[in-house]
Amino acid sequence: AGVRRVFPGVRAYLEDLRSPFNVGSIFRSADAFGAAELVLSGFTADPGHPRAERSAMGATAVVPWRRGGLEALDASGEAFALELRGESIDTFEFPERGIVVVGSEELGVSPEAMAKCSRTVSIPMLGAKGSLNAGVAFGVLMDAWRRSLESRGIEPVRP
């Protein structure tokens, strides 16, 4: 393990993710791809839950996080949603400073959160199911966001 580096403007809002496994997986990807902070809605599973801890592999201790409502979307740069039927992740222009909303496993991003988002980004699906597990989708998104920033000469820094 080395020193953590982050993109200071990269954040995610976890809206009502009930699965501790998904929450832990998202923490691990947030650490791996340089997210500066995670904001968790009140109904999102506790990062301290044993299943979250297990899938996070220690990332819950190194990725800054806090509980917050939708007002967090107003103060974090551009808010955008990871959801179906949006712009392809392949052509999406990721912001240098922004917050991605990851919605609940069953319902997706709420209408209230969507109203605060300027855009929607989607991962092209070739399979019959047409969607991914929330934790996996977040990892795919974060890798694309990292590559987008680095291609523009924006480098991660030590927090």
Side-chain angles (χ1 to χ4, degrees):
V3 175
R4 184 162 194 270
R5 294 179 302 144
V6 303
F7 295 99
V10 172
R11 291 180 166 66
Y13 183 79
L14 310 187
E15 186 186 36
D16 301 348
L17 267 79
R18 303 304 267 266
S19 162
F21 171 80
N22 275 333
V23 171
S25 175
I26 286 170
F27 268 83
R28 193 165 178 190
S29 291
D31 177 48
F33 296 113
E37 180 188 43
L38 296 177
V39 182
L40 283 58
S41 76
F43 289 112
T44 292
D46 183 354
H49 186 286
R51 285 198 308 262
E53 290 278 357
R54 194 161 47 249
S55 59
M57 299 289 292
T60 54
V62 296
V63 175
W65 67 277
R66 61 186 165 92
R67 294 279 179 185
L70 293 179
E71 71 282 350
L73 303 182
D74 299 326
S76 300
E78 180 189 358
F80 62 99
L82 174 59
E83 191 53 270
L84 302 173
R85 294 175 294 284
E87 183 180 340
S88 171
I89 199 169
D90 299 328
T91 57
F92 191 81
E93 182 72 30
F94 285 91
E96 185 172 343
R97 184 174 180 277
I99 187 165
V100 61
V101 180
V102 181
S104 80
E105 295 89 351
E106 299 85 32
L107 304 173
V109 177
S110 73
E112 296 79 11
M114 285 298 284
K116 291 182 172 280
C117 293
S118 59
R119 300 181 290 157
T120 301
V121 62
S122 297
I123 300 164
M125 293 287 131
L126 304 179
K129 293 300 173 194
S131 70
L132 288 168
N133 165 286
V136 172
F138 179 76
V140 171
L141 173 115
M142 284 302 301
D143 182 56
W145 198 348
R146 175 197 59 80
R147 285 185 285 115
S148 171
L149 294 174
E150 288 179 346
S151 75
R152 290 181 274 161
I154 301 162
E155 293 293 326
V157 299
R158 293 180 180 197

